Amino acid sequence: MGKNKTKVIPPSLYIHIPFCLKKCAYCDFHSIPFDGPLASRYVCALSVEAQRRAGEMGVLGTAGTAAMETAYIGGGTPNSLGIKELETLMGAVHRNFSLRPGGEFTVEVNPVFGNPDKLKLLFDAGVNRLSIGAQSFSERELEFMGRPHGEAEIERTFFDARQAGFQNISLDLIYAIPGQGMESWQHNVEKALSLQPEHLSLYELTPEEGTPLYSLLERGHAVMPGEEDVLAMQQRAEEMLLKAGYARYEVSSYSLPAMEAAHNLNYWARGEYLGLGAAAHSFKNSIRWSNVTDPQAYVQALDEGRLPVERSEPVSPDEAAREFVLLGLRTTRGLDMEDAEGYKLDLGKHAQPFVEGGLLEISGGRLRPTGKGFALLNRVTAELIEAIGL
Ligand code: SF4
């Protein structure tokens, strides 16, 4: 595929921890309520999968381990695991994988489990970045979303993380929550900025079918904010973040200089990755595979000596081209026009109407969304994909 620089770079490692204290009202991720005995068995199963998969990864690191570009433990709620399970997990990571020197190693953290001993354990085990799911600093909004923590726990977790040694912390915030006015959103952004995180992710609340939020809306018990209000919230946050020295580098992501999330950048650049755990996806040598989503079934497969793979299929040239466009246009780096030729795309031709409409721009051999294009990104990418015929 074109220059395909990703071939010489080791893959990224993702590990999925499927446990949460309880399900949030908007969540359609693969997660189940915390179950202590299952969590212990799950972590043992992860160690087995890590060992089996590490040998297949190709690029060798130190002491025969598989080299990884970045590592990310997400969920679910990774810090729902107890100290003993976290130690087992970290041991399995280091026995089987090695990160390049200075490589980014992130763990997602929910403030409800923000125990300082766990944070210290993670830091001492080489984790150098935390992503804290704050979501809001309003007790009303946290309660509406079914978040199991309050504002005080977010701040306490943040301070404990700094105390443990973390110098790279990201905060997640959610906007467009029913009943959330501009004033409350602005307050949330101000509170987040006052903590001085290195990175912020701002996600628009999306009602997914099958979630409690979706039924609430269907029954007319809540109303999503209108498109104009949502755009105004995005714009206000952007102004505040730029003024505070952050730059947007992806549709939902802002960082201080040189603090972009390397793991996510690899994903948006269609780099390779190995996913371990229930529901984890992997991508290597143009093959994509995914594990079974049920944690019990995942543990059982590894107990019986089987790999827990549910689906595995080659990525077709059309799919690869579609991913190249969809993922690349999420970032301010945008798409390399020369790489596009490797995907047999005539981007210049198809993007022209969007450039004329002020939604996309071409400079330095790259195609990227304008500010207006970012605000309407889903529509822009869907229409571009259709124009290309993918
Ligand atoms: S903490 Fe995250 S993964 Fe867990 S239920 Fe809430 S939104 Fe879903």
Side-chain angles (χ1 to χ4, degrees):
M1 288 299 158
K3 288 185 272 178
N4 215 341
K5 302 166 196 136
T6 58
K7 290 292 173 202
V8 293
I9 298 174
S12 285
L13 174 67
Y14 173 77
I15 298 180
H16 189 74
I17 305 297
F19 306 105
C20 287
L21 186 64
K22 68 183 185 74
K23 202 81 178 161
C24 300
Y26 56 91
C27 179
D28 75 334
F29 300 126
H30 293 292
S31 70
I32 58 168
F34 185 77
D35 170 338
L38 179 59
S40 300
R41 294 179 60 213
Y42 184 82
V43 170
C44 291
L46 268 176
S47 307
V48 176
E49 194 192 12
Q51 190 182 2
R52 291 190 59 172
R53 285 297 186 194
E56 302 168 0
M57 283 296 113
V59 191
L60 280 186
T62 48
T65 54
M68 289 283 149
E69 183 67 8
T70 59
Y72 192 107
I73 305 183
T77 304
N79 64 323
S80 65
L81 296 177
I83 294 275
K84 199 162 152 267
E85 281 81 33
L86 285 173
E87 279 170 351
T88 307
L89 178 59
M90 289 300 145
V93 169
H94 291 301
R95 263 198 318 281
N96 296 294
F97 304 102
S98 56
L99 222 53
R100 68 168 177 78
E104 182 187 280
F105 188 171
T106 305
V107 174
E108 284 179 1
V109 161
N110 186 315
V112 77
F113 293 109
N115 168 331
D117 293 340
K118 290 186 190 177
L119 300 177
K120 189 82 182 83
L121 183 158
L122 293 172
F123 186 77
D124 291 345
V127 176
N128 51 24
R129 183 173 183 273
L130 285 190
S131 173
I132 302 178
Q135 317 311 3
S136 168
F137 288 87
S138 147
E139 300 294 344
R140 187 204 74 78
E141 290 165 9
L142 289 169
E143 197 184 330
F144 177 84
M145 293 190 286
R147 296 289 300 176
H149 58 85
E151 175 188 352
E153 280 136 316
I154 302 171
E155 293 184 84
R156 201 199 59 219
T157 303
F158 194 93
F159 291 127
D160 287 344
R162 286 286 194 229
Q163 205 65 35
F166 286 98
Q167 291 173 14
N168 188 357
I169 305 180
S170 178
L171 287 178
D172 286 357
L173 288 181
I174 292 179
Y175 62 96
I177 302 165
Q180 179 184 51
M182 179 64 96
E183 206 177 309
S184 175
W185 171 233
Q186 195 166 313
H187 168 76
N188 287 343
V189 178
E190 270 162 11
K191 284 291 291 189
L193 287 175
S194 73
L195 295 173
Q196 301 184 305
E198 282 67 33
H199 187 282
L200 275 155
S201 296
L202 311 182
Y203 298 111
E204 181 180 341
L205 183 64
T206 322
E208 303 290 351
E209 220 172 321
T211 61
L213 171 66
Y214 193 88
S215 349
L216 207 67
L217 294 164
E218 264 197 334
R219 294 200 309 271
H221 294 168
V223 181
M224 294 302 289
E227 197 178 328
E228 279 188 16
D229 291 338
V230 174
L231 285 178
M233 283 184 190
Q234 287 172 356
Q235 272 164 13
R236 188 73 197 104
E238 167 119 2
E239 286 160 17
M240 292 168 74
L241 266 55
L242 295 188
K243 200 167 153 218
Y246 295 78
R248 186 187 219 174
Y249 68 97
E250 189 259 348
V251 62
S252 310
S253 312
Y254 294 79
S255 79
L256 292 178
M259 301 307 274
E260 296 89 355
H263 184 86
N264 291 345
L265 282 172
N266 175 56
Y267 172 70
W268 295 316
R270 295 197 73 242
E272 296 188 332
Y273 49 89
L274 170 67
L276 304 178
H281 288 237
S282 304
F283 175 53
K284 188 158 172 41
N285 295 336
S286 295
I287 308 275
R288 175 158 293 124
W289 71 90
S290 55
N291 282 350
V292 291
T293 55
D294 175 24
Q296 291 271 14
Y298 170 81
V299 170
Q300 193 178 339
L302 285 150
D303 278 356
E304 291 170 0
R306 290 179 286 118
L307 279 171
V309 176
E310 187 169 62
R311 285 184 71 176
S312 174
E313 54 199 3
V315 177
S316 71
D318 271 6
E319 271 175 273
R322 192 162 49 236
E323 285 172 7
F324 168 75
V325 174
L326 281 175
L327 296 174
L329 283 183
R330 292 180 64 97
T331 65
T332 50
R333 264 178 71 74
L335 303 173
D336 184 320
M337 305 288 277
E338 218 179 301
D339 280 351
E341 289 168 22
Y343 288 95
K344 306 213 172 353
L345 295 175
D346 187 352
L347 268 190
K349 180 177 112 191
H350 293 295
Q352 198 50 37
F354 298 88
V355 173
E356 284 164 15
L359 295 164
L360 297 175
E361 61 187 14
I362 299 173
S363 66
R366 304 190 76 93
L367 175 73
R368 57 175 70 84
T370 60
K372 188 174 156 196
F374 264 126
L376 304 168
L377 191 63
N378 287 346
R379 211 189 77 199
V380 173
T381 45
E383 288 177 9
L384 179 61
I385 293 281
E386 199 187 327
I388 297 171
L390 289 170

